[in-house]
């Protein structure tokens, strides 16, 4: 929220200087591909990592079949379907994967029946905040990480919609909304509320970017969250189904970063651009992180934050045109 005020007073020029397209796009690629191992593990394609590592060979084959069916339906829906089906490929893929899980025995019908046998309506579990300075000091620096991802997501959304959202409606408005929503959610025990790159992937996949549609979807999500059986079905989505669709979504996020490279005409014949991009991507995907204890407090900077700040630092340090907008 303080950064929103700073942007409102000083404009966005300094942010564009800190995070030009070569940095923003590289961070988007890291955000997408850093989750690749998780998605592949959920899908069962990697026998040595993720939940699939503990499976029997026969059950792992079923996981692979389910995740592959989910992925193929998502791919076909994205590339071949027409009309209403072309804008809901993710939903169709989830339904197909869920059905395959039932047929192959990955999830049993009795488990679903038991999950939805409770009360129809249920209120969410709310809890009041409790002060904890150690948690506060550990969490506060992560705001800088989410700001970096926020800027990258807003830039990517503008790229998908062919509009400059940094300028109109303005980055300060989106940052303020991000901060206020996070404060309100925290006071009621909710999850962090910030931009999510997966949603940008959905926009890029479906080409549906209407604010009205997103608002209506949010209202529907709030309403159905009070229906316990619906929650049970959603939270019970089998892991291989999530893995299959995540491969598609995480890949779309990375491709969005590549599109930013292309639209900004980033010239990788320039050693400066190449060095910035490779350092961000290698550090982000390599899992570089910083953590230390001081005064009884624990601080950790995750790999995405390390990659983001490295890109910003190199962009300011290395000589040359920082924007590098010359056509290739």
């Amino acid at each position: 929220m303080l950064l929103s005020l700073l942007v409102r007073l000083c404009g966005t020029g300094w942010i564009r200087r800190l995070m030009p397209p070569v940095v923003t796009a590289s961070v988007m690629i890291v955000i997408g591909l850093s989750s690749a191992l998780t998605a592949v593990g959920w899908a069962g394609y990697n026998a040595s990592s993720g939940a699939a590592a503990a499976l029997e060979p026969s059950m792992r084959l079923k996981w692979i079949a389910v995740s592959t069916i989910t992925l193929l339906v998502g791919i076909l829906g994205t590339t071949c379907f027409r009309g209403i089906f072309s804008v809901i490929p993710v939903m169709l893929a989830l339904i197909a994967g869920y059905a395959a899980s039932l047929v192959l025995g990955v999830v049993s019908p009795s488990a679903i029946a038991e999950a939805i046998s409770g009360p129809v309506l249920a209120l969410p579990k709310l809890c009041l905040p409790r002060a904890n300075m150690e948690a506060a000091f550990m969490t506060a620096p992560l705001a800088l990480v989410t700001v970096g991802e926020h800027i990258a997501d807003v830039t990517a959304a503008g790229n998908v919609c062919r509009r400059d959202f940094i300028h109109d409606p303005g980055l300060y408005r989106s940052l303020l909304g991000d901060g206020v929503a996070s404060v309100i959610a925290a006071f009621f025990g909710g999850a962090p509320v910030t931009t999510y790159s997966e949603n940008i992937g959905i926009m890029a996949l479906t080409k549906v970017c209407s604010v009205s549609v997103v608002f209506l979807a949010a209202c529907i999500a709030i309403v159905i969250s009070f229906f316990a059986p619906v929650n049970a079905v959603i939270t019970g989505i089998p892991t291989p189904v999530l893995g299959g669709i995540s491969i598609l979504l995480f890949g779309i996020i990375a491709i969005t970063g590549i599109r930013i490279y292309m639209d900004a005409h980033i010239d990788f014949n320039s050693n400066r651009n190449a060095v910035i991009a490779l350092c961000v991507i290698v550090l982000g995907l390599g899992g570089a992180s910083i953590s230390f204890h001081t005064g009884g407090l624990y601080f950790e900077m995750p790999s995405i934050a390390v990659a983001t700040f490295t890109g910003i630092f190199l962009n300011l340090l290395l000589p040359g045109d920082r924007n590098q907008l010359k056509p290739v």
Side-chain angles (χ1 to χ4, degrees):
M1 292 166 66
L2 290 174
L3 185 60
S4 169
L5 178 61
L6 182 63
V7 172
R8 181 71 178 92
L9 295 175
C10 303
T12 60
W14 62 279
I15 290 182
R16 294 178 186 273
R17 181 180 177 185
L18 288 177
M19 296 188 67
V22 67
V23 176
T24 304
S26 300
V27 172
M28 285 298 298
I29 292 173
V30 168
I31 292 171
L33 296 185
S34 62
S35 303
L37 183 61
T38 300
V40 170
W42 286 350
Y45 294 148
N46 189 339
S48 60
S49 69
L55 296 176
E56 295 290 333
S58 59
M59 179 56 70
R60 179 170 173 255
L61 289 176
K62 293 180 180 180
W63 271 43
I64 292 175
V66 169
S67 59
T68 301
I69 291 171
T70 305
L71 178 59
L72 288 177
V73 172
I75 292 173
L76 290 174
T78 304
T79 57
C80 301
F81 291 175
R82 296 292 181 267
I84 183 62
F85 297 111
S86 65
V87 297
I88 55 171
V90 174
M91 180 180 292
L92 295 176
L94 290 174
I95 293 173
Y98 222 131
S101 298
L102 290 171
V103 172
L104 295 176
V106 173
V107 57
S108 65
S110 60
I112 297 178
E114 182 180 352
I116 64 177
S117 61
V120 175
L121 296 176
L123 292 174
K125 295 180 180 179
L126 303 177
C127 61
L128 296 177
R130 180 164 48 91
N132 185 313
M133 293 308 297
E134 181 177 354
F137 278 109
M138 181 177 68
T139 306
L142 296 181
L144 298 176
V145 182
T146 58
V147 164
E149 183 174 354
H150 181 106
I151 296 172
D153 285 342
V154 171
T155 302
N159 180 274
V160 172
C161 301
R162 302 297 178 181
R163 290 178 55 188
D164 185 2
F165 291 145
I166 298 291
H167 178 263
D168 181 23
L171 182 63
Y172 74 93
R173 286 192 173 96
S174 61
L175 284 171
L176 180 62
D178 200 330
V180 171
S182 295
V183 170
I184 294 174
F187 266 91
F188 291 96
V193 181
T194 183
T195 58
Y196 285 89
S197 301
E198 290 81 354
N199 295 331
I200 308 300
I202 291 290
M203 289 169 57
L205 203 64
T206 62
K207 302 298 188 294
V208 176
C209 307
S210 168
V211 174
S212 301
V213 171
V214 175
F215 178 77
L216 180 59
C219 293
I220 293 173
I222 292 172
V223 171
I224 66 175
S225 68
F226 290 93
F227 291 86
V230 178
N231 282 331
V233 171
I234 293 175
T235 56
I237 294 176
T239 301
V241 176
L242 294 176
I245 201 62
S246 294
I247 291 174
L248 191 61
L249 292 181
F250 295 155
I252 288 290
I253 297 168
I255 292 298
T256 301
I258 296 175
R259 286 181 58 186
I260 294 175
Y261 282 150
M262 297 171 63
D263 290 346
H265 303 293
I266 301 299
D267 182 7
F268 283 109
N269 288 320
S270 163
N271 288 338
R272 182 182 187 281
N273 284 338
V275 166
I276 292 174
L278 71 88
C279 286
V280 171
I281 293 174
V282 171
L283 288 174
L285 298 185
S289 62
I290 299 174
S291 61
F292 57 84
H293 294 266
T294 175
L297 299 176
Y298 178 73
F299 172 81
E300 180 178 3
M301 183 180 292
S303 58
I304 293 179
V306 172
T308 301
F309 290 126
T310 298
I312 292 173
F313 174 75
L314 290 177
N315 177 63
L316 295 175
L317 176 67
L318 298 178
D321 180 9
R322 293 188 174 88
N323 294 318
Q324 291 288 344
L325 297 180
K326 298 176 181 178
V328 178

